[in-house]
Amino acid sequence: MTPSEPEVITIHIMGKAYQVPRGLTIMRALEYAGYRLLRGAGCRGGFCGACGTVYRTAGDYRLKVGLACQTVAEPGMYLTQIPFFPANRAQYRLEQLKPNLATLVRLYPELPRCVGCNSCTKVCPQELDVMDIMARAMRGDIAGVADRSFDCIMCGLCASRCPAEEVQYYVAILARRLYSRYLAPPARHLTARVREIQEGHCDAELSELAALSPAQLKQKYDARDIEV
Amino acid sequence: MYTPSMLESMAKVSANRSHRLQEKHPRLAPAEKDSLLRAFHPDFRADTQRPVQVGPNAGDRMPHELVDLLEASSAVDPEVPLPSPSCHVDVLIIGGGGAGAAAALTAQELGARVLLVTKLRLGDANTVMAQGGIQAASKANDSPAIHYLDVFGGGGFVNKPELVQALTQDAPLCLQWLEDLGCMFSKERDGTLLSIHGGGTSRKRMHFARDYTGAEIMRTLRDELLNQKVPYIEFCPALELLLDEKGRCGGAVLQNFETGRPMVVQAQATILATGGFGRLHVSGFPTTNHYGATADGLVMAYRAGARLVAMDATQFHPTGVAHPEQMLGQLVTEKVRSIGAQLVNVEGEQFVFPLETRDAVSAAIIRECTERGRGAVTPTGQAGVWLDSPMIELIQGAGTIRRELPAMWRQYDRFGIDMTKEPILIYPTLHYQNGGIDIDEHGRSIQVPGLYVAGEAAGGIHGRNRLMGNSLLDILVFGRRAGRHAAQHAVTAEPGALSLAHVARCNREVAAAGLGQTKAPILLPDYVGRS
Ligand SMILES: Cc1cc2nc3c(=O)[nH]c(=O)nc-3n(C[C@H](O)[C@H](O)[C@H](O)COP(=O)(O)OP(=O)(O)OC[C@H]3O[C@@H](n4cnc5c(N)ncnc54)[C@H](O)[C@@H]3O)c2cc1C
Ligand code: FES
């Protein structure tokens, strides 16, 4: 099968019209149009949150947001990237905190100002229920926030639309770290292994291996048993 | 979106799925694997590599795209006088991925004055993209020694023993460090860390944080960097290292990426943590790597006199997205195979055991799509084989994919593909730079005093082939080791007069060889005007 000629569409980057092939992501459409991205591109795979983009489609009054690397450019789109968002972040020492509501409110006093408007949930490119996450934070349900916010890529689009000026993604990471450090059961087998290593119990076996020739190692490798 | 022939092939895959459930494809015998690799892995093709003509590795074969950079002239003109240093620190860390973050936290904790500079934002890096997991011998049936054997076997027995020893011995310590930092690993109710196999592991030692393992590690480290007020500058790539008269590294020339203005930082020790080279698109392959993976660190260190090891071994990840086009080259995590998905050709037949090492699976897929002509072809002409994801739901129960692979599911869903019901089309993608700068067990460059290297930029740890889960591990192990050693030892060094004399020398050398028309480091790939 031969690749077919791509169809061309018109998009408006910061108000200027450009013709680009249909089917490109917004990121690749920007590049096709001649932009060399500096800000606004990181992982290019939906993981880093660098590429938040605001857009509107012709004939629709609503502003939409999305990740430029994960959203296909549509005909008639008006778009611009958000290169930087000056969000407020609390400073803390994890080891001195208590995993409770008081900690969340002390570090983020604006937390109870959430009006439950759901703007955050509507814009989340990860389709997280951000409003529910904030409701849980306001109840001090730290485990719940940790669990529900886990897939957050901290792109900041929720905060960009929040009328109460919450910074949802920083509240969420605080909750995840509190949960993991204080509320999740510790991995005892890991701590035991760490002690073994620190007491030198693993040294001899490792040094023995390190002294083997590649051929001897290969023999051992080929004969090793594999957990099923 | 699918062509009729793709749909026909998908029907075949689905028709024999329950039959295949019983079918175990045999593992490759060692000799079979060897001949498969020689015939089909891009590393062994005659037209993908050439010997580099200049520098410490002159005569060694490496991918053309890297050799082009090593034979380029500098992006900095060494004859133009440098601005005076804008600051003087104990430890300069170049690169804001996992290795750089781990190094910076560790060095600062030990009292060093630290500065971290990075090309994009802090955490815009390969680290944030890792989904699958991190290896560590944390369980009772496992040990650092068993882990050691797996690393060596995977690497083709050419790894540096002292590096593998450091890697496997520190692994549980690094995992514990992350636990204490509040990194949210997936666990049983009693706290036992969940762990599974990865390609080439003999124990289930792949620990994970759902399928955002790298993201969870990176955001935790970044959060802690911010808490610890580690000084950092974003959009500030390094262009060249600075050396004194004795060849000791004493800092770097940086650039404000936005204004273009140069900047000099003087440092007692410099840690390169600039990651890999995926964005060089070796052999024309698409890549899984982040935007800034352009081998800058290799170029700078090479000019400073560092040797590169195993740069002729490139890791292609067997399962890169072949369809849809918008996701081309993106990673389909190995976990999809770990938890049950088979690889099948256009006829719906298995052709390789799914958990062979990556090089072997990649070679088998390339063979299937080229010599055997049994790939399915997309509307843009890209061939691929099916990764039978619906199989996971058959084996592990409905809902497994959305629970265990939410990132994967979401990415496909964005482009209208439901991987719980449809198999996904994949083809190998450029994934990892197996080799890198020669280091010792403290992360010190063997050739350049004052220079440390950690993470994907370093070589020798993984030999010729890294196993999944050992890279997230090595960035922590060697990031921390380099940070510690630099903070404890390098700060006592007597700094000499810094210059770019070595860069001028390299420029002359490439010019004498009739090379050097292009400039490097390139900092970013050039996609302008391309579709
Ligand atoms: C999609 C994907 C999935 C992966 N999955 C896994 C997995 O499941 N398990 C595993 O163990 N490994 C995995 N890996 C590999 C692993 O993630 C990386 O090898 C590792 O994270 C590299 O870390 P690093 O800190 O060395 O480099 P990076 O994380 O890439 O960080 C390098 C940093 O240096 C910056 N930089 C580059 N050049 C310059 C310059 N000139 N000046 C200043 N800064 C610069 C970069 O922008 C970046 O921020 C995966 C990799 C990818 C791409
Ligand atoms: S570039 Fe990382 S999410 Fe788009």
Side-chain angles (χ1 to χ4, degrees):
Chain A
M1 169 169 297
T2 51
S4 47
E5 271 300 301
E7 191 192 328
V8 168
I9 62 169
T10 301
I11 60 168
H12 305 268
I13 302 169
M14 294 185 273
K16 260 188 213 153
Y18 294 89
Q19 309 261 304
V20 301
R22 184 190 279 279
L24 300 183
T25 58
I26 291 175
M27 182 169 288
R28 287 177 59 192
L30 285 163
E31 289 170 335
Y32 182 86
Y35 282 86
R36 183 186 191 233
L37 300 178
L38 210 60
R39 290 193 181 252
C43 67
R44 303 179 71 103
F47 286 94
C48 76
C51 63
T53 300
V54 185
Y55 65 90
R56 192 172 65 72
T57 41
D60 191 346
Y61 64 89
R62 278 170 300 195
L63 282 180
K64 296 180 185 161
V65 294
L67 300 175
C69 72
Q70 299 292 302
T71 310
V72 176
E74 289 167 37
M77 232 179 203
Y78 287 80
L79 61 91
T80 190
Q81 288 201 290
I82 311 173
F84 176 75
F85 193 75
N88 169 52
R89 179 186 172 282
Q91 203 77 26
Y92 54 88
R93 292 270 170 167
L94 188 66
E95 65 279 8
Q96 294 168 0
L97 299 184
K98 292 210 162 47
N100 57 26
L101 177 61
T103 298
L104 298 185
V105 175
R106 180 171 60 77
L107 291 171
Y108 292 102
E110 68 279 16
L111 181 61
R113 292 184 53 203
C114 170
V115 293
C117 70
N118 211 31
S119 300
C120 48
T121 302
K122 278 192 225 152
V123 298
C124 179
Q126 294 289 85
E127 291 168 10
L128 302 180
D129 189 346
V130 189
M131 187 177 84
D132 173 63
I133 291 167
M134 293 308 281
R136 284 168 193 273
M138 284 184 284
R139 294 200 297 271
D141 174 10
I142 288 176
V145 176
D147 177 50
R148 311 267 163 141
S149 73
F150 189 81
D151 291 0
C152 170
I153 58 171
M154 306 180 76
C155 64
L157 292 173
C158 48
S160 78
R161 300 286 281 175
C162 179
E165 288 162 305
E166 310 272 356
V167 188
Q168 295 86 340
Y169 54 102
Y170 281 143
V171 174
I173 192 170
L174 171 61
R176 286 195 301 274
R177 292 189 67 189
L178 286 171
Y179 168 78
S180 310
R181 166 120 183 177
Y182 295 108
L183 302 175
R188 293 189 205 292
H189 59 101
L190 176 62
T191 316
R193 176 57 45 78
V194 166
R195 197 172 322 116
E196 272 174 47
I197 292 171
Q198 283 169 341
E199 289 170 359
H201 299 309
C202 301
D203 296 352
E205 219 184 346
L206 271 177
S207 306
E208 235 168 77
L209 286 179
L212 296 183
S213 71
Q216 289 168 315
L217 265 179
K218 186 167 185 333
Q219 221 171 23
K220 268 192 174 299
Y221 177 77
D222 290 338
R224 80 207 199 289
D225 65 306
I226 294 177
E227 177 180 2
V228 285
Chain B
M1 183 168 66
Y2 291 115
T3 64
S5 68
M6 286 173 89
L7 289 170
E8 194 186 316
S9 172
M10 288 164 79
K12 287 182 187 164
V13 175
S14 142
N16 70 3
R17 186 169 293 132
S18 49
H19 168 72
R20 270 186 290 113
L21 212 51
Q22 322 301 331
E23 183 187 278
K24 264 220 159 11
H25 198 84
R27 283 175 189 263
L28 291 164
E32 253 179 314
K33 180 164 156 182
D34 200 56
S35 60
L36 174 67
L37 288 176
R38 285 189 184 281
F40 293 98
H41 196 282
D43 283 355
F44 294 97
R45 258 173 38 199
D47 58 347
T48 59
Q49 304 189 341
R50 71 173 187 268
V52 56
Q53 294 185 48
V54 295
N57 286 77
D60 292 352
R61 292 178 68 81
M62 300 177 193
H64 290 301
E65 296 77 4
L66 177 62
V67 174
D68 290 344
L69 302 188
L70 299 180
E71 294 178 347
S73 56
S74 176
V76 182
D77 182 350
E79 311 307 335
V80 173
L82 291 168
S84 51
S86 46
C87 66
H88 187 150
V89 294
D90 295 327
V91 185
L92 170 67
I93 294 124
I94 304 174
L105 280 171
T106 309
Q108 178 163 301
E109 194 183 321
L110 291 169
R113 286 172 306 154
V114 164
L115 174 66
L116 186 151
V117 296
T118 192
K119 184 160 60 181
L120 303 167
R121 300 178 316 166
L122 193 55
D124 290 350
N126 282 0
T127 303
V128 81
M129 308 183 76
Q131 304 168 37
I134 177 167
Q135 289 201 40
S138 78
K139 301 266 167 102
N141 72 343
D142 199 0
S143 72
I146 301 175
H147 189 181
Y148 184 102
L149 266 188
D150 286 347
V151 176
F152 250 92
F157 303 97
V158 295
N159 319 48
K160 288 177 79 170
E162 64 278 21
L163 302 184
V164 183
Q165 194 170 348
L167 182 80
T168 55
Q169 176 161 319
D170 283 11
L173 314 184
C174 286
L175 220 54
Q176 184 74 56
W177 184 56
L178 291 176
E179 268 257 291
D180 295 343
L181 285 174
C183 194
M184 196 166 146
F185 283 105
S186 297
K187 290 178 171 185
E188 316 249 19
R189 278 177 186 283
D190 68 355
T192 306
L193 292 164
L194 296 180
S195 63
I196 56 173
H197 269 304
T201 57
S202 67
R203 293 291 183 278
K204 295 181 179 169
R205 76 167 78 81
M206 189 72 58
H207 303 79
F208 51 90
R210 301 193 192 173
D211 65 346
Y212 283 100
T213 310
E216 173 63 358
I217 292 174
M218 190 70 239
R219 66 196 179 194
T220 303
L221 294 180
R222 179 176 52 207
D223 205 56
E224 192 58 16
L225 268 159
L226 299 177
N227 278 346
Q228 301 294 340
K229 301 194 173 128
V230 174
Y232 68 95
I233 312 177
E234 299 180 323
F235 296 94
C236 186
L239 300 178
E240 289 294 354
L241 299 173
L242 287 164
L243 302 186
D244 70 11
E245 315 86 326
K246 294 190 196 119
R248 191 173 196 289
C249 181
V253 180
L254 315 167
Q255 185 191 50
N256 180 325
F257 220 175
E258 280 144 331
T259 64
R261 288 182 71 173
M263 179 179 147
V264 167
V265 171
Q266 202 175 328
Q268 300 291 88
T270 303
I271 303 179
L272 261 185
T274 45
F277 74 178
R279 290 279 157 190
L280 301 186
H281 295 291
V282 167
S283 302
F285 276 82
T287 184
T288 59
N289 286 195
H290 88 289
Y291 190 34
T294 49
D296 305 347
L298 300 186
V299 174
M300 291 185 266
Y302 196 70
R303 291 199 182 120
R307 259 187 77 80
L308 308 180
V309 293
M311 282 315 308
D312 58 333
T314 307
Q315 184 165 91
F316 293 89
H317 196 291
T319 58
V321 175
H323 178 85
E325 157 71 15
Q326 292 89 351
M327 288 171 69
L328 184 67
Q330 279 179 36
L331 180 68
V332 176
T333 171
E334 189 168 303
K335 192 167 163 195
V336 178
R337 282 172 289 143
S338 298
I339 62 176
Q342 295 174 345
L343 284 163
V344 295
N345 61 23
V346 68
E347 300 300 332
E349 301 153 348
Q350 287 200 80
F351 57 91
V352 67
F353 175 68
L355 292 177
E356 294 288 351
T357 51
R358 290 182 173 172
D359 48 356
V361 182
S362 295
I365 295 169
I366 293 171
R367 174 175 67 187
E368 210 62 18
C369 293
T370 55
E371 187 190 69
R372 294 182 173 172
R374 282 190 235 143
V377 180
T378 71
T380 56
Q382 169 75 46
V385 296
W386 300 106
L387 183 56
D388 196 10
S389 47
M391 196 138 196
I392 295 171
E393 306 267 301
L394 275 188
I395 300 172
Q396 317 266 6
T400 306
I401 290 182
R402 292 206 63 176
R403 191 180 61 247
E404 297 292 326
L405 300 161
M408 220 51 264
W409 184 86
R410 179 178 293 122
Q411 280 183 306
Y412 274 103
D413 180 59
R414 279 177 179 139
F415 297 105
I417 292 174
D418 181 354
M419 68 180 284
T420 65
K421 302 207 171 68
E422 305 155 49
I424 52 188
L425 197 74
I426 57 93
Y427 192 76
T429 179
L430 176 55
H431 188 51
Y432 185 77
Q433 164 194 302
N434 287 307
I437 301 161
D438 199 9
I439 56 165
D440 73 5
E441 68 273 25
H442 302 296
R444 275 184 298 194
S445 156
I446 305 286
Q447 288 82 22
V448 186
L451 181 67
Y452 293 75
V453 189
E456 198 166 335
I461 307 161
H462 308 290
R464 300 185 54 81
N465 179 49
R466 169 194 65 109
L467 301 183
M468 170 195 178
N470 279 339
S471 177
L472 281 180
L473 174 59
D474 91 52
I475 64 179
L476 300 169
V477 168
F478 291 96
R480 282 174 61 71
R481 280 181 173 242
R484 189 178 316 127
H485 200 276
Q488 289 173 340
H489 300 274
V491 289
T492 57
E494 276 299 316
L498 298 176
S499 79
L500 288 174
H502 65 290
V503 173
R505 208 161 46 240
C506 290
N507 281 353
R508 286 196 296 275
E509 192 186 351
V510 295
L515 306 163
Q517 283 77 15
T518 53
K519 292 203 187 317
I522 59 170
L523 305 182
L524 290 175
D526 183 9
Y527 295 144
V528 172
R530 302 205 192 167
S531 64

